[in-house]
Amino acid sequence: MDIPQATEPYSLKAHNSLGLEAFANRCIRLNNSASLYGLSQQLTESPRCILGHGTNLVIQGTAANPLKATVILNELKGIVRLPEQADGRPRIRCAAGESWHAFVMWTLAQGYGGLENLALIPGTVGAAPVQNIGAYGVEVADQIDAVHAWDFHQRDHVVFENADCAFGYRHSLFKDSNVQGPWNAPRYLITAVDFRLWSGSKAPLRLAYAGIEARLTALGIDHAPNPYQVAHAVMSLRREKLPDPEQEPNVGSFFKNPVVPKPFAQSLTTKYPNLPCYEAGDQSKLSAAWLIEAAGLKGWGLDQAGMSGRHALVLINRGQAKAADVLAVCQGVQKKVMGQFGVWLEPEPLFWPGSQAPANDSEPQS
Ligand code: EPU
């Protein structure tokens, strides 16, 4: 049986975009899905966790007290075209360990639309469905046909159709299975994702999100943009607004935009008319970045970690941050925003060990 090489103890600093110096007591590189059965047998009952590019994670293990788990680095690679179906739309299967942005650029180079608004999001293809990545009015779930995974319980490959993935705002069945169970016993390892895209000229472009049309105009693209040009506008906006993880290590948005009952949102927007507020089913979604900035916390922080001065929602490693510094900043923001607006901000990244967000020990929002 082809079991991938194991090493121990292992620094995860190069495997998390916050750049935290974190250690696990064992690490395995997975580059062949045929080895999953053998790996499952080897890891029976053993703690495990699955890592892509670590762009949505706060890892807490130290050299003296490493994560007590085998970290599986998902390095499965490969992109294949699937046979056409009656609707004539291109269908692509992409292995989970491919880089998300490189895959988006590959689809655009083939002349396929659908993923252009999601250009430049850090991370792997396999991580994309876990938190249903989204940007500029599009969520990845809109273009997913099916998700292929290894089920550690059944020790077999399983396929989830889109409707079975429980996709929601920054949410899916796969995130649930990580968050609800123990942090070190995820049930599913995503091996590949099937996408249903559009042949370029047929792609229904989504340009309504603030800033895209203006940026296209600024780039000299005044009418009938193609998906590649939309991606270019999105990349230009992201580079301007969001700190680059290579320069200032971060995990993108550190907090989710809070979804609150409509009457509560109305009371806040009456008091603060500039607070952005969007429909979210029968509830309302508020802008976490606005709340953080209005609480005076944009650019606020401690020596080693703090909120970005460029985008209020992004928490930055300012140098040698440890997970404890990140948690202290996170809790400082949560408490101040709660005190001022009565809204508890929930972190977007997962936490290892624990994968639980810090608890709300303040007054509940009404
Ligand atoms: N705003 C501020 N201060 C700031 C930044 C923004 O007040 O420093 C306010 C502005 O009013 C702005 C509003 O917040 O109009 C919304 O800002 P933005 O367009 O940047 O969007 P966001 O809601 O803060 C979400 C996603 C981002 C995604 C952008 C663009 C979440 C948690 N974040 O941010 O996703 O790129 O929309 O679509 O939903 C990520 O998840 O890592 C991520 C970067």
Side-chain angles (χ1 to χ4, degrees):
M1 186 59 63
D2 171 27
I3 305 289
Q5 197 190 342
T7 49
E8 57 188 292
Y10 195 86
S11 167
L12 298 170
K13 190 176 170 80
H15 299 287
N16 74 100
S17 67
L18 257 174
L20 302 177
E21 184 65 276
F23 289 82
N25 55 14
R26 188 154 175 259
C27 184
I28 286 179
R29 308 184 94 96
L30 175 72
N31 47 34
N32 178 357
S33 59
S35 40
L36 276 164
Y37 186 77
L39 184 58
S40 272
Q41 283 185 314
Q42 197 190 83
L43 292 181
T44 319
E45 308 297 320
S46 307
R48 59 179 178 268
C49 37
I50 301 151
L51 189 53
H53 290 168
T55 57
N56 202 42
L57 262 186
V58 179
I59 310 180
Q60 300 178 62
T62 60
N65 187 18
L67 287 182
K68 289 173 186 51
T70 296
V71 172
I72 304 169
L73 287 182
N74 189 336
E75 296 182 347
L76 299 170
K77 293 283 161 64
I79 302 177
V80 290
R81 286 183 182 77
L82 299 172
E84 221 174 74
Q85 288 185 343
D87 62 8
R89 288 173 56 183
R91 292 166 65 238
I92 310 294
R93 178 167 301 162
C94 185
E98 295 281 356
S99 146
W100 172 259
H101 177 66
F103 172 63
V104 171
M105 296 316 280
W106 181 90
T107 63
L108 293 166
Q110 311 303 306
Y112 302 150
L115 302 178
E116 53 279 352
N117 294 40
L118 304 179
L120 219 55
I121 295 184
T124 58
V125 168
V130 176
Q131 64 146 342
N132 186 17
I133 57 170
Y136 298 99
V138 175
E139 291 182 344
V140 72
D142 302 343
Q143 310 300 331
I144 288 180
D145 234 7
V147 175
H148 300 253
W150 175 261
D151 181 346
F152 279 97
H153 290 189
Q154 295 183 50
R155 292 209 204 146
D156 205 353
H157 294 279
V158 286
V159 183
F160 294 91
E161 301 301 323
N162 182 307
D164 301 328
C165 293
F167 286 127
Y169 170 62
R170 294 298 194 270
H171 181 264
S172 73
L173 165 92
F174 312 104
K175 191 159 186 179
D176 262 354
S177 83
N178 278 6
V179 172
Q180 285 173 353
W183 70 279
N184 53 8
R187 177 166 180 179
Y188 301 110
L189 180 151
I190 294 176
T191 53
V193 183
D194 291 353
F195 295 89
R196 187 182 296 260
L197 304 175
W198 299 88
S199 296
S201 59
K202 295 187 187 147
L205 300 178
R206 277 128 325 162
L207 309 178
Y209 196 94
I212 295 195
E213 283 193 323
R215 185 53 54 106
L216 283 164
T217 306
L219 292 169
I221 303 151
D222 278 335
H223 65 280
N226 62 37
Y228 184 82
Q229 291 167 321
V230 175
H232 199 60
V234 165
M235 285 155 66
S236 152
L237 284 170
R238 286 187 73 97
R239 287 201 172 105
E240 184 181 282
K241 280 190 175 182
L242 294 167
D244 178 358
E246 298 289 327
Q247 312 289 327
E248 298 178 287
N250 69 78
V251 287
S253 300
F254 195 85
F255 297 100
K256 293 188 215 173
N257 285 327
V259 176
V260 299
K262 269 193 175 149
F264 178 66
Q266 265 156 17
S267 69
L268 274 180
T269 49
T270 304
K271 199 165 171 197
Y272 307 102
N274 295 331
L275 166 59
C277 177
Y278 315 93
E279 292 278 313
D282 56 0
Q283 297 192 291
S284 298
K285 187 156 78 176
L286 305 172
S287 164
W290 190 95
L291 294 169
I292 294 168
E293 181 160 354
L297 297 171
K298 187 171 183 171
W300 169 83
L302 307 171
D303 280 353
Q304 298 300 329
M307 304 313 293
S308 166
R310 288 178 70 183
H311 197 298
L313 204 45
V314 182
L315 189 154
I316 306 282
N317 179 351
R318 293 178 168 170
Q320 305 298 323
K322 297 190 174 50
D325 303 309
V326 171
L327 273 172
V329 172
C330 169
Q331 286 165 348
V333 171
Q334 287 174 311
K335 287 190 173 149
K336 181 94 192 287
V337 169
M338 182 75 196
Q340 198 157 329
F341 299 104
V343 177
W344 184 253
L345 295 179
E346 227 184 278
E348 197 187 83
L350 295 174
F351 289 74
W352 286 355
S355 69
Q356 293 295 335
N360 176 8
D361 55 7
S362 314
E363 290 292 304
Q365 63 205 12
S366 42

